[in-house]
Amino acid sequence: MTITELKQLYYQNQLIEAIIEPSSAEGGWIVEFRHCQGGFLMLTDTHGAECQYTDLDTASKSALAVGFSEVRIEAK
């Protein structure tokens, strides 16, 4: 889901938390959001491709842009 779509869910109180996790690409990071009904929603670009980040700062900025004030980071 795109940041815009995730923002809508956030403001409808449908998202519980933002999580940054290591990606399958070496040294990369992905951003996921826990949905209130269970499961996770992946941050994607407008074409539906998983967003991959090379550093935690950029990944965190994307997660915070959805509306959360903090982000959980899963260690490798």
Side-chain angles (χ1 to χ4, degrees):
M1 298 191 87
T2 65
I3 287 180
T4 303
E5 293 168 324
L6 289 161
K7 279 183 183 181
Q8 291 173 345
L9 291 176
Y10 175 82
Y11 288 111
Q12 295 170 358
N13 295 314
Q14 298 290 311
L15 300 178
I16 297 171
E17 71 176 326
I19 305 161
I20 297 174
E21 298 181 338
S23 73
S24 56
E26 176 111 7
W29 300 92
I30 57 170
V31 181
E32 292 183 326
F33 297 86
R34 185 186 309 268
H35 194 274
C36 68
Q37 295 178 349
F40 294 91
L41 302 171
M42 177 84 52
L43 177 59
T44 63
D45 62 20
T46 55
H47 304 289
E50 180 180 277
C51 291
Q52 299 259 346
Y53 299 93
T54 56
D55 61 86
L56 283 173
D57 286 339
T58 308
S60 294
K61 286 177 185 175
S62 291
L64 295 172
V66 170
F68 286 94
S69 58
E70 46 183 60
V71 179
R72 180 164 55 108
I73 299 171
E74 291 287 319
K76 290 188 174 187

